[in-house]
Amino acid sequence: MTLINDVAVPSADLLGRQRSAHLAAGPASAAERRDRIQSVIDLLVRHHEEFAAAMDADFGGRHHGYSLMNDVVGSLGPLKHARDNLETWMQDDPRTPYAPYDQMGASAYVQYQAMGSVLILGTWNAPLFTVLSPLAGVLAAGNRAVIKPSEITSRTAEVLQRVISEEIDPDVVAVVTGGVDVAQELTCLPFDHIVVTGSAAVGRAVMANAAANLVPVTLELGGKSPVLVGRSADLTATAMKIAVAKATNGGQICVSPDTVHVPRENLDALVEAVATAFGTLHPSAAGNADVVSAVNDRHLDRVDALVRDAAERGARVVTAPDENLSTTDRRRPLRIVVDPPADAAIRSEEIFGAAMIVQPYDTVDDVLAELGAGPKPLALYYFGDDDEERDRVLARSTSGGVTVNNVMMHPGMNEAPFGGVGVSGMGHYNGREGFLQFSHARTVFLAPDADPRGDWGMLPPYGEHFTLAMIAQITA
Ligand code: NAD
């Protein structure tokens, strides 16, 4: 249900309106697509302070500068990139027809068609970015969109709904707010595509609903992104880069380093270096406006419980900065959980908060074997100057994306696809790949007048000649 001119419109009617408008208007020109994207850019520019204030309130503490960087500037990048490149992406793509028709005047091309109406479901950890970044590709491809932001960041969702309804035709982009029940209702509708960012559990639920209507899905999920610190890595520099990543959004990022694999002899040095580096970024946690709070009590308790469980099973926990956990503030220091036992829940569950694991290894092949046996992660990080080892890690592992000698760098590229693999997701967006993801690649074959199949004895009634001609085609 959404409000259009103060009238409540059920989600199914909203989809019906967008579909009728899409059919009536025909394919959107490049200029129309650019205008639609520009409207989104303009409303972000106009309302950026209001959005930052809403995210601060939603998190119970999220620095305005951080929200502007992550969600406003972070969304403007893909939107502007799509605006400035979509005309090139839209062009028909010529292909060579097969013989003998290529010699008889046939031609062929791939036409990139809009799918229609795309449903976008976002998460709380990046409440604008996770809906507006896919929207860039959705609009570039000439589609219309229904956006359902996360209910956990409800104030941001309300601002988004209001400003979009004020500034964009709901037949082009509409925002529906609500919780899991609304998400369930929407994902049961026959949209032309669904893109969802969320946990693997959400991905499964959405895919099951979409399957009933055979709606294609793009699933941007999460998981435990590992860091492999090679023996050639500079430990101090590596530790600072890991600390910077863990200090970002309170660790509540899908590509946040989760488990750091370090050579056994470097375990203590790395733990100490990460703790020191984190302390220089955040000398305190509770009451520190630079620290992003856990988004709500449920997520706070979830992460605290993972750390507690590991400690109860004998793992050492180093807290940086070394302070007691506040009972009134959801801002948390980084908890570095050292070598937790295999049965600790933190070894299998995505942390998605202010904690991380450091695990010792003897050989890189041991780590590669462990990673290969587990779920495919969204991101993988390698630190080291050993090119041979780096290439071996790249060749013998898989993940949605990789950053070498830093953390969380690759998702920011507008020129390269971002997405998961296996349980960390399917499909991807960003730049041209996003355009392709939300387009139907339709092959068009322009046949020549001449068709030699009758003259060549290839049409029924079949004779001996036909079989012999086919046998002659069976070559290696
Ligand atoms: P969430 O609770 O905000 O849920 C995400 C969306 O799914 C919401 O809009 C919600 O309403 C909807 N939803 C929830 N249950 C549903 C159901 N049963 N059926 C249909 N829709 C449903 O977010 P979350 O799931 O806690 O998100 C955190 C996860 O998202 C983490 O695993 C994180 O790694 C991942 N994530 C991935 C990316 C990425 O780009 N790959 C980005 C951010 C977060």
Side-chain angles (χ1 to χ4, degrees), residues 122-125 148 150-151 183-184 197-199 221-222 254 350 418:
T123 46
W124 53 266
N125 72 309
K148 210 293 283 172
S150 176
E151 66 280 10
Q184 288 275 12
T197 305
S199 60
L221 311 178
C254 54
E350 179 182 5
F418 175 68

Side-chain angles (χ1 to χ4, degrees), residues 73-89:
V73 179
S75 301
L76 286 173
L79 286 162
K80 289 181 190 173
H81 184 75
R83 175 195 64 191
D84 298 341
N85 289 282
L86 65 86
E87 194 152 6
T88 310
W89 299 339

Side-chain angles (χ1 to χ4, degrees), residues 121-126 130 148-152 178-180 183-184 187 196-202 205-206 209 220-223 253-255 298-299 350 352 378 418 420 424 429:
L121 299 181
T123 46
W124 53 266
N125 72 309
T130 56
K148 210 293 283 172
S150 176
E151 66 280 10
I152 292 176
V180 176
Q184 288 275 12
T187 51
V196 58
T197 305
S199 60
V202 165
V206 170
N209 288 349
E220 298 289 348
L221 311 178
I253 297 204
C254 54
V255 287
R298 181 167 71 82
H299 281 285
E350 179 182 5
F352 211 56
L378 183 59
F418 175 68
S424 60
Y429 53 77

Side-chain angles (χ1 to χ4, degrees), residues 264-287:
R264 192 170 296 281
E265 65 276 17
N266 295 335
L267 177 71
D268 291 340
L270 185 88
V271 169
E272 197 179 315
V274 172
T276 304
F278 196 89
T280 64
L281 299 166
H282 291 324
S284 62

